[in-house]
Structure formats: C-alpha cells, structure tokens
Amino acid sequence: MFPLLCDLRRRLLATDFRPPPLHRLSTLTSTRASNTPVAVLWDLAASRPPSKLSLYDSAVRLHLAASSFGRLRLSVAFLHPSHRLPALDPSADAKHLCRVCGRCFRARDALLRHFDTIHTREHAKRLERIESSRGDRRLRLAASLSLKLSKYAKAARELTAGVNPGSPADELHRAGVNAELSRCPSASLRERAQEVLDEGSVRCLMLVSVQEALSPLLRFAREKGVRSVVVGGESGLARWADVGFTWSQVIAGKARTAAPSLSGKWRDRDVLKRLEWRYEEDDEEEDVVFEEDGDLAGSEELAGSTNRKPWWKLEPDGEDSFIGG
C-alpha cells in the first residue's frame, strides 16, 4: 500500500494545477464589454463634418469613436445624389500629415515632394532586397517588411485619391461606410433605424444628425433598452439621447476617450435596474369574500336594516322591551 500512495503523490505533484491569472480575467471582462453591437446611421445632408478635414478622415474618426462603445456592426450614410464634396478650408491651421513617418506640412506640394524623395525611394530599395533574396531568407525578409510595405501602399493610395477626389460615395466607401443615395436622406435614415430597432440586432445606436424629428425614434430606442448617441452639434435631438457629442469632440478624440467610462456606467445602471425591487399591488387580494353558511344571510339583513334607519330609531323587539320594565 505504501508504494502505491507514494506513486499517487508523485503523480499529483507532477500535475500543475495553476489558477488562471487575474489579467486574463480582466481581459475577458473587457472583451465581453466591448462586444456590444453598435450601428452608425449618418445623415450627410443634415450633419456635415468640418471643412478642415476631408470626408475620409472624418468618417475614420467617427468609426473610431463608435468602435469605443462596442463592436461596429452597421455603418450607413445617407446622402442626396447631387451632393458634392465641400472644398477644404485653406486656413493656416490646416496641416497635411504624412501617413508613413507622421510629419506635418503646411502645403500639400511639400508633402508630395517629401513622399516622393524619401518614402518612394525607401520602398523601391525594400522591393529590390526582397527580389534579390532567395529561399528562406526571402520569406523571412518579406515577413519582416510586410508592415512597412502595407503602410506605404495605404499612404500612397490616400495621396493619389486626394489629388483627384471622387464623389462622396467613393470617399465613404474608402473609409468603410456604406453610402446610400436617397432623395430624402432623413426619411431613409428614420426607416433604417426603425428596422434596426425592430430587429433587435444592436444595443447601441449612433445617429449623426441634427433633425429634431428623430426624437420619437430615440424615445422608442430607450423603451427597447438600446443606448443612443447623437453626433452633430448642440441640437435639440441630443436632449433625448443618452449622450451627445459635437464634431469637434469626435475629431479631437474626446468622444473616444469618454466612451469606456460611459459604457461602464450604463452597464452598472442596467444591473441595478434588474436588482431593483418593485411593489406591485394585486387587485385580487383586495376582493375578500366571506362565505359562511348561516352568517351571510343575517349580515345582509342587518346591513339592509341599518341602511334604512339609524340605530336610535330602530323599534325594539317584543321580548326585550319588558326586561328593563
């Protein structure tokens, strides 16, 4: 028996029973919290971004703010077929950013010159190094330079698109937004939002509009338990939403910074609402009926007699009248 116990102890010590670390639990809770489906509906005719940024940059920053509230499930922009891109504001504050190294330039020509003289040559040298390599070394070199190659390709695509800008639909598609042409963008937005709320596929609705006619839609979303976020300025529509942001706050990143704390407050409020005790008065308990054999008829007769005359005017019975005499 003793060798068997020693063998069993040795096996138990060999097996490593370690609890999961705390940081994994925190990451699980954070990912669970960030899985809230979010829908972004944008009325481009009613709420236009600032003219200092291109439509592509504004849509990207709007997506960053929306993804801070949860998982982006739907993003649709409604615009009129005759909508055109506004001209960028050529003010002194407007800066052109190099997407490869991060340098800022006052003029677009300086950015193009910088990109052509430095980054284009570096990209050509990287391609030559990959083509001159063979075997496993080529695979390892291509894997190590893949991030820089994709970064250069994306920056070059943005610069070429900026030279010959297309329609607003092309800019929105490039930013990952589905563009839908409509003669009445506000009505189309209202219909799509109603469909999304009826389906129940999202838990957070972001409306980019300033139309106060959408306030009944926000009230309906609150009844459904869907959180609402309004972007587009200090309008009356933001009063009916859970939170509202201006375009300047979205572009500056303030909306993205405030989103996690707001989501935590909303989750805590939902938990407290589920734990809240409410008194519900039952009407059935109020209707108490006494059903006894002999007392029911007598009580009805007594109630009828008392309803006819006061007690001091009742006529005494024959037998009881001679007791006091």
Side-chain angles (χ1 to χ4, degrees):
M1 295 295 293
F2 185 76
L4 293 177
L5 291 175
C6 292
D7 190 15
L8 180 59
R9 183 181 180 184
R10 191 181 300 110
R11 290 181 181 179
L12 290 176
L13 292 175
T15 56
D16 191 7
F17 296 99
R18 294 182 180 178
L22 295 178
H23 65 86
R24 290 186 181 179
L25 297 177
S26 62
T27 53
L28 287 175
T29 54
S30 61
T31 53
R32 187 181 305 166
S34 62
N35 284 334
T36 304
V38 182
V40 179
L41 301 178
W42 186 0
D43 186 2
L44 194 59
S47 179
R48 296 188 179 185
S51 58
K52 292 183 179 181
L53 286 178
S54 62
L55 185 60
Y56 170 80
D57 292 335
S58 302
V60 168
R61 301 193 186 194
L62 181 65
H63 273 186
L64 290 176
S67 60
S68 301
F69 287 97
R71 176 172 50 88
L72 189 60
R73 181 182 178 88
L74 177 66
S75 180
V76 184
F78 302 92
L79 64 156
H80 198 269
S82 61
H83 186 84
R84 294 292 178 266
L85 288 175
L88 296 179
D89 188 8
S91 60
D93 297 334
K95 296 181 181 180
H96 301 276
L97 179 66
C98 178
R99 299 294 181 179
V100 178
C101 61
R103 289 183 58 184
C104 293
F105 298 90
R106 296 287 184 180
R108 183 178 178 81
D109 296 337
L111 172 61
L112 294 176
R113 194 182 309 111
H114 159 79
F115 192 85
D116 190 19
T117 55
I118 296 179
H119 299 302
T120 304
R121 293 180 182 179
E122 292 178 350
H123 182 71
K125 290 179 181 180
R126 295 190 188 102
L127 293 179
E128 289 179 1
R129 288 180 59 191
I130 294 174
E131 291 178 359
S132 62
S133 303
R134 294 291 183 271
D136 295 339
R137 186 174 182 275
R138 180 172 184 174
L139 294 178
R140 290 194 299 268
L141 189 60
S144 61
L145 297 177
S146 61
L147 182 61
K148 294 182 179 179
L149 294 177
S150 61
K151 192 174 184 180
Y152 171 83
K154 184 178 180 180
R157 186 167 57 250
E158 291 182 7
L159 286 178
T160 54
V163 174
N164 297 318
S167 62
D170 298 336
E171 293 290 314
L172 292 172
H173 281 302
R174 201 160 58 90
V177 183
N178 297 325
E180 292 188 6
L181 301 179
S182 175
R183 294 291 180 182
C184 187
S186 59
S188 301
L189 185 144
R190 190 183 303 109
E191 293 176 0
R192 176 60 67 88
Q194 190 70 36
E195 292 177 1
V196 169
L197 293 176
D198 291 338
E199 292 175 359
S201 56
V202 298
R203 304 302 301 170
C204 181
L205 179 64
M206 177 178 283
L207 295 180
V208 188
S209 177
V210 293
Q211 298 289 339
E212 295 188 8
L214 299 176
S215 56
L217 190 65
L218 296 180
R219 290 196 295 268
F220 180 69
R222 183 172 297 179
E223 294 175 359
K224 287 280 188 178
V226 178
R227 301 299 178 183
S228 56
V229 182
V230 172
V231 176
E234 299 177 356
S235 61
L237 185 63
R239 294 180 299 174
W240 300 98
D242 293 324
V243 64
F245 297 104
T246 60
W247 268 112
S248 59
Q249 293 175 344
V250 171
I251 291 173
K254 295 181 180 179
R256 186 181 181 184
T257 306
S261 61
L262 290 173
S263 301
K265 290 180 181 179
W266 293 343
R267 287 193 301 271
D268 296 343
R269 193 180 304 170
D270 294 339
V271 171
L272 292 176
K273 188 177 294 184
R274 287 197 298 267
L275 296 176
E276 184 180 4
W277 181 80
R278 296 180 180 180
Y279 174 74
E280 296 180 359
E281 187 177 0
D282 296 334
D283 297 336
E284 298 179 357
E285 297 180 357
E286 296 180 358
D287 301 335
V288 180
V289 179
F290 298 98
E291 296 182 358
E292 296 183 2
D293 296 335
D295 297 337
L296 183 60
S299 61
E300 290 180 355
E301 292 178 359
L302 181 60
S305 62
T306 53
N307 290 333
R308 286 193 297 268
K309 293 181 180 180
W311 61 272
W312 60 84
K313 294 184 179 180
L314 294 178
E315 297 179 358
D317 296 335
E319 298 177 358
D320 298 336
S321 59
F322 297 101
I323 294 176

